[in-house]
Amino acid sequence: MARWEPGAYERLRAAALTLFDEQGFEGTTVAQIAERAGLNRRTFFHHFADKREVVFAGQEESEAFIAAEIAAQPAMVDPLHAAVAALQRAAVTMYEKYRGGAELLGRVIAASPELQERELVKRAALAARIAAALRERGTGEPAAVVAAWTAAAVFFAARNRWNQAGNERTLAELMGETLELFLDATLHRAE
Amino acid sequence: MARWEPGAYERLRAAALTLFDEQGFEGTTVAQIAERAGLNRRTFFHHFADKREVVFAGQEESEAFIAAEIAAQPAMVDPLHAAVAALQRAAVTMYEKYRGGAELLGRVIAASPELQERELVKRAALAARIAAALRERGTGEPAAVVAAWTAAAVFFAARNRWNQAGNERTLAELMGETLELFLDATLHRAE
């Protein structure tokens, strides 16, 4: 019965992130997370494959959205701008609503070597998905894979500013600025 | 006595890569590597911290070299070209001589999820070192970190072409071409 309890996903996620922050990711068990949320382990495993997935939930859904947005970009848009525009659409539609928990999430990842390593795996998966979507759109190799890793770097650099305490700018705005600052520096456009 | 045996490092490395290729990275023990090389485990651990380090040996030395080459680039060179030029210098000076074993090494990494994850950690460490060297040279954030990940992507994309069977081009040449193809696509320069 409990596994269909309304709001279980959000309660488990909030309980997990609070515990990771209080006592560390490595030192927190699924049993503790379930107890803090007032639910049981079975309900936890209905929503998450393991405790790492609490931190990185929703990636497959995000990637599919980003690939579709890349495909929808006008043909005249170059691959790097197409990829960043798609990531900005994901920010507006999916990520910005998590702003309230972003600082906590950033702190939890920064404190855990295991989560940082996992984030690198997620970055590589995102880059591979973006590169595939760019190839579908006609970009050749190796330009597609380099544009994909660059777009992912723009995303993570902006995300790391967005989740700082006191930030009031949107993730999409920070991504746009990050891309422009990179291109200005690379192309000497600001000189 | 055996730990100072001449050529031990190269014998252990050759034995390890051959065994990883024959029976998989995960299924190979340090004892087997030492036995194949005609040496003992103690000699192995004199040269390598663990079996993963056989695959990624020399990274700290490479990174220090690359950081110094970035610092030595003329001030007029933009951060992305400065980083790629430094990586090309590393290719000429340090990596090209391993061309003979590159195909085998690429095959071993491609077959092992653990080594692929480790390679992502090494990529992130390389990007962090490049970003720090670019900041020293006056590039601001977030441009430095995006340029660094882009340069790292250029390096890995070129490395993945360089270590294909039948490739006869140098790593430095492939890096230069990869960077130009990315910039052409991004800036519509080829149109």
Side-chain angles (χ1 to χ4, degrees):
Chain A
M1 309 296 278
R3 57 191 294 196
W4 304 112
E5 191 143 359
Y9 178 94
E10 284 307 329
R11 280 162 60 192
L12 286 163
R13 190 161 184 278
L17 291 176
T18 304
L19 285 167
F20 295 163
D21 193 37
E22 285 173 10
Q23 60 190 39
F25 172 78
E26 281 80 359
T28 300
T29 66
V30 167
Q32 291 171 330
I33 295 167
E35 187 188 348
R36 177 72 66 103
L39 297 164
N40 58 39
R41 289 176 82 253
R42 187 170 163 171
T43 307
F44 180 92
F45 288 115
H46 174 65
H47 291 284
F48 303 100
D50 56 38
K51 64 178 180 164
R52 279 195 317 206
E53 284 310 303
V54 177
V55 176
F56 298 107
Q59 165 127 359
E60 173 49 37
E61 184 191 354
S62 295
E63 284 180 11
F65 177 92
I66 290 159
E69 288 290 329
I70 289 172
Q73 292 294 311
M76 59 158 53
V77 178
D78 73 72
L80 179 56
H81 282 88
V84 172
L87 289 161
Q88 287 177 302
R89 289 280 304 143
V92 169
T93 311
M94 310 175 77
Y95 308 143
E96 196 62 40
K97 63 173 177 269
Y98 295 112
R99 166 191 287 273
E103 188 191 336
L104 170 59
L105 188 60
R107 203 162 58 223
V108 164
I109 294 173
S112 164
E114 181 180 339
L115 290 177
Q116 286 167 57
E117 194 156 324
R118 189 69 190 164
E119 185 164 87
L120 294 177
V121 173
K122 296 288 185 178
R123 182 194 286 242
L126 175 63
R129 189 67 173 257
I130 292 172
L134 292 175
R135 280 193 297 271
E136 289 270 319
R137 204 171 159 272
T139 306
E141 284 300 357
V145 73
V146 177
W149 277 93
T150 303
V154 167
F155 172 76
F156 281 97
R159 200 276 318 262
N160 289 348
R161 295 168 72 195
W162 179 66
N163 67 17
Q164 292 304 302
N167 167 59
E168 300 197 341
R169 299 171 69 191
T170 67
L171 179 55
E173 184 187 340
L174 289 166
M175 287 178 62
E177 184 184 271
T178 298
L179 176 59
E180 291 311 304
L181 287 169
F182 163 67
L183 290 173
D184 284 347
T186 298
L187 310 175
H188 291 299
R189 288 198 311 200
E191 288 180 14
Chain B
M1 308 300 277
R3 55 192 296 199
W4 304 112
E5 192 142 359
Y9 178 95
E10 284 306 329
R11 280 162 61 191
L12 286 162
R13 189 160 185 277
L17 292 176
T18 305
L19 285 167
F20 295 161
D21 193 38
E22 286 172 9
Q23 60 190 40
F25 173 78
E26 282 79 1
T28 300
T29 65
V30 167
Q32 290 172 331
I33 295 167
E35 187 188 347
R36 176 72 66 104
L39 297 164
N40 59 38
R41 290 175 81 253
R42 187 171 164 169
T43 307
F44 179 90
F45 288 116
H46 173 66
H47 291 284
F48 302 101
D50 56 38
K51 65 178 180 165
R52 280 196 317 206
E53 285 310 303
V54 177
V55 176
F56 298 107
Q59 166 128 0
E60 173 49 36
E61 184 192 353
S62 295
E63 285 181 10
F65 177 92
I66 290 159
E69 288 290 330
I70 289 172
Q73 292 295 311
M76 59 158 53
V77 179
D78 73 73
L80 179 56
H81 283 88
V84 172
L87 289 160
Q88 286 176 303
R89 288 281 304 145
V92 170
T93 312
M94 311 173 77
Y95 309 142
E96 197 62 39
K97 64 174 176 267
Y98 295 112
R99 165 191 287 273
E103 188 191 337
L104 170 59
L105 188 60
R107 203 163 57 223
V108 164
I109 294 173
S112 163
E114 181 180 339
L115 291 177
Q116 285 167 58
E117 194 156 323
R118 189 69 190 164
E119 185 165 88
L120 293 177
V121 173
K122 296 289 186 178
R123 182 195 287 242
L126 175 64
R129 189 67 174 258
I130 292 172
L134 293 176
R135 280 193 297 271
E136 289 269 320
R137 204 171 158 272
T139 305
E141 283 302 353
V145 73
V146 177
W149 278 92
T150 304
V154 167
F155 172 76
F156 281 97
R159 199 276 319 261
N160 290 348
R161 295 168 73 195
W162 179 67
N163 67 17
Q164 294 303 302
N167 168 57
E168 300 198 341
R169 300 172 68 192
T170 68
L171 179 55
E173 184 186 341
L174 290 166
M175 288 178 63
E177 183 184 272
T178 298
L179 176 60
E180 292 310 305
L181 288 169
F182 164 67
L183 290 173
D184 285 346
T186 297
L187 309 176
H188 291 298
R189 289 198 311 200
E191 289 180 13

